[in-house]
Each structure stands twice: as structure tokens, then as C-alpha cells.
């Protein structure tokens, strides 16, 4: 049993009657001993939900799906009203539920169907409901309590005395100067225990206030010409006349644009308003994150026969108004995007809405451009690259039905559409759909859940489907749609493997084949891509005399050499030092670098082909906003001859003039200690190769490797998907890995190595005990506990236990019980647990 089977099972009860969007309860129906109560999920790491009383002064204004401000453990926190309990008999506390303090929304933020979705997520990923909801809403709309520090009269009196230490004086004076100061701000500069001692001495007080950092609708002042005004403008200054002329001509202009154009515009506008020429109004506007995205032309090509066939099948699903999942397995350049566009057209025509998930928004400007052209004005985006204000505005536009389509990264799966008819997951195999912090969901899997819940169409698209999706297609849970030809009969590129073990000169970066290919391409005016999945200059620096390697003191990895800043940097925690001249261990002077990164490749190319325009795309060159687009645009306009990059260049781009793709070292992903490393390598190589030969000219791919016989590499060369999946599925089945079982990874972390090990061992023992006692024994297997492949990151020691088994519901129950048991008896503090359901990496 695997994910989708689980989804289907979970919802089998629901499918009989569709989920009602509106909440079933209204407050007036549920009274208990003359009082009304509400069930609230707070946005905190607590598993339970809580009851609160609704004081009568709020009348019946509270709706489920709204936020409420509630007292919680001496604080004021935001919670979400999720239900009105009809019965409080199982309520434990003698003094009854506390009253809510405020209702924060007039209109609910989510409907009942969304709540069912949230609940499913909370159950499946073993994550508190309140935090699931919080994560699904735009950030920054919540109220939180905060501690405010101020001085007491006694404290102020002592300011002028000499009874205090210098530090105490400085703290007191700082707080006194501000009147009231938030706790975080003070403790950023001074040790926090000091505050307690000052409070104990009666010199300062700590008050509870509310932090209101909420994003608000953006407003704009507009100036309108009053047509009815009969006044002559004779008495105006020349500039006044000028401004009035502009306003009259346009009818209405934003105040900001007038200010930009005219000096002293505010004063002039005020005078014009007084004289009745114009009126000034304020209105809400939306921040538009897509406003400066260059869009392409909307060509709307005639569909190919294969595209038509695929689309027709999808349209049947759309018209059925039932959950209809498809796997669109289309090789690179086969025209998947056009199918998405046409399918969405049909959905929108039917009055429903669509979510399009893409792996990384900044890497897909072309795709977004196409959507903007085709559905102008009806598209919103949601992703973490937006400012809080932008995200809030986009969210409101979606909520208010002002758009039909949302394109976004994984978090867009929470887009608050009420009539969702389709979810598309482009490049569904991408690992970026998995969130690797807090709620560790996989947006691709949630897409299936939500589509099922909304009776919507699901399209997973990929040239290299994940094994899970492919397996589902084979098992006919998904309808398989194949596009196995490139548009206009363009051929797939020819792939050549270069065995780097044979390269005579050790440490050579570019094989002769690749060097020749690059020079040839440059001479004929064609473009090339060079792919290496490691940034930086060299992977590590070593002293050949004593073997010393520079390692990060916080993480169990070697530091990566970055040539530009002459620095050694940890790619996990950003720890950085300058490259020293001498070995810190033996004082040897011959330390040198080993392994290569993109920076080094770039330099090598510049040396070899000084006349070429070379650019690089990796995390180092794309730190600034829009830098992705700038680099991609230069490739598109053919300014760049050779682009060097990490997996950022492997994805979805459509550059017709790129005819050569070089893979510098195919072994990096192959050597990952993870059961998915073969799958990843195959996908990566196929995707990179797919960047070549998308135009009229055929493409060529050169793969350099030390493992030329590995099946991932061989089958990527032959582009033999079916054979690869066959091989890989056999391997997974043999070892009982997904999709033939399910995994949950429990990570135990702490700053003390000793205590972390102890905790991990205890948990292992407890797990094994549970296995003997229960029905778990036959279906569940525990691997570990063992040190994580990266044993130490950011100063924390990491141990992990992989729980493997099926079916999902038993596996989940087991983990829940195990975590509950161990947490109860957990010896010390400072140990944190992370539960990763369906992990995609167990590093
Ligand atoms: P994929 O996403 O499957 O890799 P794309 O959607 O990028 O492929 O399509 C490859 C190229 O073919 C794009 O430039 C696209 O505009 C073009 N294209 C798609 N469908 C057609 C068609 N029916 N006729 C002509 N060109 C098409
Ligand atoms: Zn580090």
C-alpha cells in the first residue's frame, strides 16, 4: 500500500456524499447549559484542540474558519475556530472553558472542505492541526502576544545613582529611553537572565502586549477630475494649470505618479481639491508581483495529433466532475505546457478554478509568461519569494474569486479557491515539492488529496515520472497519457558517455570530446550548457603532507572552496573562513584543492575559450531578486554562449539554440547515500539532456562519469524509460522500499551527543518492545537508530530511526504510539524530535 491507495481509502467514506463547503453547524444550534462554546485549534506545537466559551457580547457573529484571540498558558494567541461542540461532557477542567477574547475575522478564512483537507494533513503528517492551518494561510496575518519591558519608578530613580553596575545602567537607560521595549529587542543586545534579575530587584516591569505586525491591504490615493466643476482655472498658478491639465486628460491618476512628475504635487493637489476641480479618494489596491515579468507571445499553435488525443481524455475527466487523476508522461519538448493551457481553458469555461504547481517559480518565467498571455489578468502567484504584502494580496485576490488560476511553488496547494476544478503538478518528480522543515508535506501528494476532496482533475506531468507516480499509472490508479515524440518531429539529442577513468591526465575537468564540442559550437554560433551539481570552486581543500581536510566545526562536512572571496564555506550552515596559506595542522605550505564546483568549471572555460561569453547560474550567482531572470534572458537572447550551472539549469527551460549539453560529473548524485540515488541520477541526466536540441538543430549530450556501466547512466543515454523503471522497481521491491512500502523517518537531535544517543537508543528499545506486543510485529520494521548520514549539522548531533512498513494507517498508529511513549519518559531536555513522513531524503 502506498500513498495514493491510502488517500483513496481515507476518502472512500467521503466520496459517497461530497463534502459540503459550508460548515454544517451554526452557533445557535449548539448551546450547553445556556452557554455557547467553540472548539479552537491554536497555532502552536500542541497536538490537542481546546474549548473556549463565547461570551454573549459577541452575539452570533463567530463563524467556523475564523480566527479568534484566546488566552493560552498566560499568553494571548491566535486560534482557529473549527467547530461548535454540542456536548462538553468529556471536558475535564472544573472551572470550565475560558472565554475567547476577540473575533479576528468577519469572514471566515477557510471553508469546511479546506478544514477537512487540513485535518487530513494533520493526521497524515502527524502535525498539530493549528499549525497546519497557520501554515496554509498567508504569513503575517496573526496576532501574537509579546512581552514589553518598561522601567519602574524605582528603576528610574536609580538611574541617576551610582548603585548599579555599568551594564545594569545601560540596560535601564535604553529601556527608559524607549518608554516600552519589546523583549526580543532588548535581549538581542543584553543577556536575557539580566532582565529577570532587574525585575526581581523591582527596577523594570514586564507587561503583556499584542504584537500587531499584520499585513494590511495596500491603499492608494487617486485624484479624479470633477467633470461637473464649472470653475474657470484662470486663478491657478502655471504649475497648477499644468497639473490640472494632466488630470483632466486622464480623468483619473494616482497621487503617487503625480508626485513623481511634479515638484510640490501634494500642495497643488490640495489646492485644486479645495477649489473643487478635483476629488481625492483612497482605494484598496493589490500589490502585483507579476507586473514586471516579461511575457512572451501567445502563439496558440495547432495541436499535434498526440496532444489532441491526450487533451480529449483529460476533457472527459473535466466533464465528469469527478476526481480524475492523470499522469502526463511526455518526453522533454513534447508540448506538455500547451496541454496544461488548453485543459485549464476548459476548466475555467466551466466556471471552475485551477492550481498549477511548478517546482521553483524563479526558474520558470517562460511557463508563467505563457499563462499570463493566455489568461491575462486572471492569474495569481503564490510562493515564498513574494513579500508578505504581496502574498497577502495574492491570497485575497484568490479568496475573493478575482482570479481563476494560481501558479505557484508548493505552498500554492493551499490556495483558497472554492470551486477548484483542476490541479496540475508540473515536473511532478521534483524534490522541491517536499517541504523539508516544519510541516514536512509533499505538495504533489497533497495535490492528489485535495483534488480527490474537490472532485477535481489531477494532472501530474513529467518527462521522468517518479517511481511512485509511474507505479500508480501501471496499477491503473492514474490514467497514463503518453507523449513520446518531440514537437515537429525534432529528435531527442544523441548522448555520449565519456569514461573519465581513462582520461590520462588526472584531475582533468573537461574531456577532449567535451572540449571539441564546445569549440565547435562556439564557432558555429550555437549555445552550450554545462551542468555540475556542486557550486563553489573546489569541493574541499587538503594538505597533501598530513592529510588534513578543512571541516566545518558545526557540521560533519568538509568546507567548500569558493575562489572569488578566497573563502572556505560550509554549505549547510554558512560558516566561512579565509583560505590560509599554511596547513593549520602541520604548517605545510602545499595545501591544495580537490574536486570541482561550478565556479571552477566557469574559470576553466574562460581560460580555454577566452572569446566566449560565459555565464554561471547557481545559488551564488542568484542571490539577488530577479537575478535568475536576468541570466535566463541572456541565454534566450543568445548573448550567452556557454552557461555553467547546477540543477537550476536542468529544469524546464526551452532554449532552441542550445545544441550541446555537457554533464561534468554524473557521479555526484549517484554517490548519495540514499535509496533514491539511481532514480535521481536518471531523472537529472534525462532532464539536463532534454535541454539540448529543442530547436531546429539536433542536439548532443556528453556525460562524463567514473561509473560508465551504471544502469542509471546507461539508460539515460538510451533514453529507455521503461527499462529503467523496470530495473528500479525490481530493486525497490527486493529491498521493500517505496512504492512497495512506506517510510517514516524519526530524527532525534540535540546539542549534547551523549544525551542524543541515549534518547535515540531508548526510543529504539521502546519501538522494538512495541513490535513484540502488538499487531505491528508482522508488518513493521525498524531500521536503526543510527547516526544520520550527516551526523552533525549546525552544531546539533543527529540520529535517526527509519520505520518501514505497510499499510499506512498501521504504520502511522505505530509511530504515534512510539512518540507518545518515549516523550513521556524522555529524560533530559534539549532533545528535539522530527517526524518525516514519506521522506525523500534521509540525510
Ligand atoms: P515540454 O514542457 O513537454 O518539455 P514544451 O511545452 O516546452 O515541452 O514545448 C516545447 C516547444 O514546443 C515549446 O516551444 C512550445 O511552444 C512548442 N509547442 C508546443 N506545442 C506545439 C504545437 N502543437 N505546435 C507547435 N509548437 C508547439
Ligand atoms: Zn556547517
Amino acid at each position: 500500500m502506498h500513498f495514493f491507495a491510502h488517500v483513496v481509502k481515507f476518502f472512500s467514506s467521503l466520496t459517497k456524499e461530497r463534502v459540503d463547503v459550508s460548515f454544517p453547524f451554526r452557533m445557535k444550534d449548539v448551546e450547553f447549559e445556556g452557554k455557547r462554546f467553540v472548539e479552537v485549534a491554536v497555532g502552536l506545537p500542541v497536538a490537542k484542540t481546546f474549548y473556549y466559551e463565547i461570551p454573549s457580547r459577541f452575539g452570533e457573529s463567530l463563524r467556523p474558519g475564523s480566527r479568534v484571540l484566546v488566552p493560552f498558558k498566560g499568553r494571548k494567541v491566535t486560534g482557529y475556530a473549527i467547530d461548535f461542540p454540542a456536548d462538553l461532557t468529556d471536558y475535564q477542567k472544573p472551572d470550565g472553558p475560558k472565554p475567547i477574547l476577540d473575533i479576528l475575522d468577519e469572514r471566515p478564512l477557510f471553508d469546511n472542505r479546506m478544514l477537512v483537507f487540513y485535518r487530513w494533513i494533520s493526521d497524515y503528517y502527524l502535525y498539530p492541526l493549528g499549525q497546519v492551518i497557520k501554515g496554509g494561510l498567508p504569513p503575517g496575518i496573526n496576532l501574537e502576544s509579546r512581552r514589553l519591558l518598561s522601567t519602574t519608578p524605582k528603576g528610574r530613580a536609580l538611574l541617576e545613582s551610582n548603585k548599579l553596575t555599568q551594564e545594569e545602567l545601560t540596560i535601564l537607560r535604553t529601556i527608559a529611553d524607549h518608554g516600552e521595549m519589546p523583549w526580543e529587542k532588548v535581549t538581542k543586545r543584553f543577556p536575557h537572565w539580566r532582565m529577570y534579575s532587574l525585575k526581581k530587584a523591582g527596577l523594570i516591569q514586564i507587561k503583556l502586549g499584542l504584537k500587531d505586525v499584520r499585513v494590511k491591504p495596500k491603499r492608494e490615493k487617486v485624484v479624479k477630475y470633477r467633470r461637473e466643476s464649472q470653475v474657470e482655472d484662470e486663478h491657478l498658478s502655471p504649475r497648477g494649470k499644468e497639473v490640472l491639465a494632466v488630470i483632466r486628460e486622464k480623468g483619473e491618476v494616482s497621487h503617487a505618479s503625480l508626485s513623481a512628475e511634479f515638484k510640490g504635487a501634494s500642495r497643488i493637489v490640495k489646492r485644486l481639491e479645495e477649489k473643487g476641480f478635483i476629488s481625492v479618494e483612497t482605494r484598496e489596491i493589490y500589490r502585483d508581483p507579476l507586473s514586471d515579468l516579461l511575457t512572451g507571445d501567445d502563439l496558440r499553435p495547432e495541436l499535434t495529433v498526440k496532444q489532441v488525443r491526450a487533451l480529449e481524455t483529460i476533457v472527459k475527466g473535466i466533464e465528469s466532475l469527478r476526481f480524475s487523476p492523470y499522469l502526463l508522461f511526455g518526453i522533454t519538448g513534447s508540448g506538455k505546457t500547451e496541454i496544461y493551457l488548453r485543459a485549464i481553458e476548459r476548466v475555467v469555461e466551466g466556471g471552475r478554478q485551477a492550481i498549477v504547481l511548478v517546482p521553483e517559480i524563479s526558474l520558470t518565467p517562460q511557463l508563467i509568461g505563457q499563462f499570463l498571455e493566455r489568461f491575462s489578468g486572471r492569474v495569481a502567484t503564490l510562493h515564498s519569494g513574494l513579500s508578505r504584502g504581496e502574498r497577502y494580496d495574492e491570497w485575497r485576490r484568490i479568496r475573493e474569486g478575482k482570479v481563476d488560476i494560481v501558479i505557484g511553488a508548493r505552498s500554492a496547494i493551499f490556495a483558497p479557491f472554492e470551486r477548484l476544478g483542476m490541479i496540475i503538478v508540473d515536473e511532478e518528480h521534483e524534490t522541491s515539492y517536499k517541504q523539508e522543515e516544519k510541516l514536512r508535506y509533499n505538495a504533489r501528494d497533497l495535490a492528489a488529496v485535495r483534488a480527490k476532496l474537490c472532485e477535481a482533475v489531477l494532472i501530474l506531468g513529467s518527462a521522468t515520472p517518479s517511481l511512485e507516480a509511474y507505479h500508480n499509472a501501471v496499477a491503473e490508479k492514474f490514467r497514463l497519457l503518453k507523449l513520446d515524440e518531440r514537437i515537429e518531429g525534432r529528435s531527442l539529442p544523441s548522448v555520449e558517455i565519456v569514461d573519465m577513468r581513462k582520461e590520462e591526465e588526472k584531475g582533468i575537468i573537461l574531456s577532449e570530446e567535451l572540449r571539441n564540442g564546445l569549440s565547435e559550437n562556439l564557432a558555429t554560433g550555437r549555445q552550450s550548457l554545462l551542468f555540475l551539481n556542486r557550486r563553489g570552486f573546489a569541493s574541499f581543500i587538503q594538505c597533501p603532507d598530513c592529510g588534513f581536510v578543512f571541516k566545518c566545526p558545526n557540521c560533519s562536512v568538509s568546507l567548500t572552496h569558493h575562489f572569488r572571496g578566497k573563502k572556505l564555506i560550509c554549505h549547510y550552515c554558512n560558516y566561512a573562513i579565509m583560505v590560509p596559506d599554511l596547513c593549520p595542522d602541520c604548517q605545510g605550505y602545499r595545501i591544495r584543492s580537490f574536486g570541482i564546483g561550478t565556479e571552477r568549471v566557469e574559470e576553466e572555460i574562460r581560460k580555454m575559450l577566452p572569446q566566449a561569453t560565459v555565464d554561471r547560474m547557481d545559488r551564488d550567482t542568484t542571490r539577488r531578486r530577479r537575478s535568475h531572470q536576468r541570466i535566463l534572458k541572456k541565454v534566450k537572447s543568445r548573448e550567452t554562449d556557454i552557461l555553467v550551472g547546477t540543477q537550476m539549469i536542468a529544469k524546464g527551460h526551452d532554449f532552441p539554440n542550445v545544441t550541446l549539453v555537457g554533464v561534468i560529473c554524473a557521479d555526484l548524485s549517484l554517490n548519495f547515500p540514499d535509496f533514491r540515488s539511481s532514480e535521481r541520477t536518471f531523472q537529472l541526466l534525462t532532464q539536463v539532456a532534454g535541454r539540448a536540441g529543442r530547436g531546429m538543430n539536433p542536439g548532443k549530450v556528453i556525460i562524463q562519469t567514473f561509473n560508465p556501466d551504471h544502469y542509471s547512466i546507461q539508460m539515460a543515454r538510451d533514453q529507455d524509460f521503461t527499462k529503467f523503471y523496470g530495473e528500479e522497481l525490481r530493486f525497490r521491491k527486493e529491498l521493500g522500499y517505496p512504492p512497495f512500502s512506506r517510510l517514516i523517518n524519526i530524527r532525534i537531535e540535540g546539542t549534547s551527543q551523549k544525551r542524543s544517543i541515549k534518547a535515540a537508543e531508548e526510543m529504539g528499545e521502546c519501538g522494538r518492545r512495541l513490535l513484540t506486543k502488538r499487531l505491528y510485529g508482522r508488518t513493521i520494521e525498524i531500521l536503526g537508530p543510527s547516526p544520520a548520514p550527516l551526523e552533525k549539522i549546525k552544531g546539533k548531533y543527529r540520529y535517526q530511526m527509519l520505520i518501514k512498513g505497510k499499510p499506512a494507517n498501521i504504520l502511522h498508529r505505530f509511530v504515534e504510539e512510539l512518540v507518545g511513549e518515549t516523550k513521556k519518559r524522555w529524560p533530559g531536555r534539549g532533545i528535539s524530535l522530527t517526524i518525516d513522513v514519506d521522506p525523500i531524503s534521509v540525510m
Side-chain angles (χ1 to χ4, degrees), residues 552-555 557 559 570-575 794:
C552 174
N554 312 314
C555 312
V557 292
L559 298 173
C570 171
H571 282 189
Y572 287 89
C573 73
N574 249 348
Y575 170 86
K794 297 181 184 172

Side-chain angles (χ1 to χ4, degrees), residues 536-547:
F537 188 73
S539 44
F540 59 98
I541 285 200
Q542 193 172 33
C543 169
D545 297 331
C546 73

Side-chain angles (χ1 to χ4, degrees), residues 43 91 94 121 131 216 252 276 338 360 440 444 461 490 498 515 528 539 568 581 595 707 719 791:
Y91 192 82
I121 296 171
Q131 287 189 300
K216 298 190 175 75
E252 141 180 352
E338 192 56 41
E360 248 170 275
R440 295 172 161 253
R444 187 251 335 247
R490 286 162 209 163
V498 177
R515 287 200 304 265
S528 312
S539 44
L568 290 167
D581 295 326
N707 295 286
Q719 319 252 313
E791 197 176 343

Side-chain angles (χ1 to χ4, degrees), residues 299 301-304 307 330-338 370 426-427 483 487-488 490 652 654 691 694:
L299 296 173
E302 190 84 22
L303 293 186
T304 64
Q307 282 175 318
I331 60 171
T332 53
S334 60
K336 294 186 285 294
T337 313
E338 192 56 41
Q370 274 173 290
D426 190 31
E427 312 283 0
L483 294 178
I487 290 295
E488 289 168 359
R490 286 162 209 163
D654 189 21
R691 297 315 113 214
R694 293 171 71 94

Side-chain angles (χ1 to χ4, degrees), residues 789-817:
L790 288 167
E791 197 176 343
K792 190 181 170 195
I793 289 186
K794 297 181 184 172
K796 282 199 170 164
Y797 292 89
R798 309 157 82 239
Y799 298 87
Q800 65 187 26
M801 236 163 92
L802 260 186
I803 319 289
K804 191 163 100 177
K806 58 187 173 178
N809 50 354
I810 294 194
L811 186 70
H812 283 230
R813 206 188 319 155
F814 174 75
V815 171
E816 230 170 334
E817 190 171 345

